[in-house]
Amino acid sequence: MSSKKRRRKTPAGPAGGIPRAAILRRLPWIAAGLFLLFAIYEFDEQPTLSGDNAQFVVLGQSIAMGKGLSHINEGTPSAHTKYPFLFPVMLAGVHLLFPFSWVAPKALVLLLGVFGTYFLARVLLREYPPSIALSAIALTVVSPEILKYSHFVLSEVPYYFVSFVALFFYSRWRESANLRDLAIAFLLAVVSYYTRTIGITLVLAVVASEALQKRFKTSAVLLVAFVVLAAPWAMRNQAVGTGYSYVYILISSYP
């Protein structure tokens, strides 16, 4: 018998070369790279016709100028209450680096779309069989709507990024039971709420998921923590009282 140890062979990929597991590990980066190429192809330097993008840019400039979240384009600037502050804060940073640029904010959104796609792929590969995950990833990478919004100065793509990072860490928490993963996932879910108001559904989904797993104490703690973390924004909007927030619009009824 030979004294040499036998090497364990790693199952090869479809082409008999790279192992399938290695391909799946690289897939999130491949998806992000393809999304980047398609997004660059679709990129339009010109401002969109939506008025919301101009409003976001103005809010970012207002924060960068030290005037808070306000409408500095008005004769008498008023406080803004409709959109959460996180995306305008991002735009403020861009404005400080590239003053009055229309292209730089669009580039920021595009990059967030790239990394959002990376984390979407990681979540899908953790939660679903490869065939289903691959199909969903492929459809996302070529989605006309996502690619269109990847160069709009709007909060949809920043929310896409933050929410899938939150889901990635929540997926890890369900597998590892590491409280640090849960804490990061929950805080990012709150960040998604401060990026786009619909993020409240992601926060409540985490709370509900913990309750369904019969971790009622954890669920209650997270709910109380969200109320505490969301209260300053609600109190601020109530104090300035110059407009409606999306939450107000959501719970209001009109004839």
Side-chain angles (χ1 to χ4, degrees), residues 13 33 41 46 61 70 80 82 88 93 98 102 125 147 157 160 164 172 175 182 188 190 194 226 235 255:
Y41 178 79
Q46 300 302 316
Q61 292 174 356
S70 61
H80 180 83
K82 184 178 179 182
F98 306 98
W102 267 107
L125 288 169
L147 290 171
V157 170
Y160 167 73
F164 274 106
R172 285 204 347 182
E175 189 175 288
L182 176 61
L188 285 170
V190 176
Y194 277 123
F226 173 66
M235 293 169 64

Side-chain angles (χ1 to χ4, degrees), residues 140-218:
T140 300
V141 168
V142 300
S143 169
E145 284 300 303
I146 297 177
L147 290 171
K148 179 177 72 174
Y149 277 90
S150 70
H151 59 86
F152 286 0
V153 187
L154 299 171
S155 61
E156 279 85 351
V157 170
Y159 172 74
Y160 167 73
F161 165 69
V162 175
S163 61
F164 274 106
V165 181
L167 288 171
F168 169 73
F169 279 99
Y170 190 70
S171 176
R172 285 204 347 182
W173 149 252
R174 296 202 314 165
E175 189 175 288
S176 68
N178 187 328
L179 284 174
R180 183 182 66 177
D181 289 333
L182 176 61
I184 294 173
F186 175 73
L187 288 175
L188 285 170
V190 176
V191 168
S192 78
Y193 167 71
Y194 277 123
T195 303
R196 191 169 174 82
T197 307
I198 195 64
I200 193 172
T201 59
L202 182 57
V203 175
L204 296 179
V206 172
V207 172
S209 177
E210 291 301 294
L212 289 173
Q213 297 298 318
K214 301 188 184 303
R215 293 189 283 264
F216 299 113
K217 183 177 179 180
T218 301

Side-chain angles (χ1 to χ4, degrees), residues 48-123:
T48 59
L49 298 177
S50 166
D52 290 350
N53 63 333
Q55 192 169 34
F56 273 118
V57 170
V58 168
L59 294 174
Q61 292 174 356
S62 175
I63 293 172
M65 295 166 63
K67 298 185 178 180
L69 200 67
S70 61
H71 301 282
I72 57 173
N73 56 322
E74 297 177 347
T76 303
S78 60
H80 180 83
T81 58
K82 184 178 179 182
Y83 302 131
F85 60 82
L86 191 61
F87 184 45
V89 168
M90 296 181 192
L91 294 176
V94 172
H95 179 72
L96 290 173
L97 294 172
F98 306 98
F100 301 103
S101 169
W102 267 107
V103 176
K106 285 173 170 278
L108 168 67
V109 173
L110 188 151
L111 289 175
L112 292 175
V114 170
F115 287 106
T117 301
Y118 169 82
F119 279 101
L120 171 137
R122 293 202 65 177
V123 170

Side-chain angles (χ1 to χ4, degrees), residues 6-14 16-23 25:
R6 292 183 179 179
R7 293 183 180 178
R8 174 182 283 182
K9 292 184 178 181
T10 305
I18 302 174
R20 182 183 182 188
I23 294 174
R25 284 196 300 270

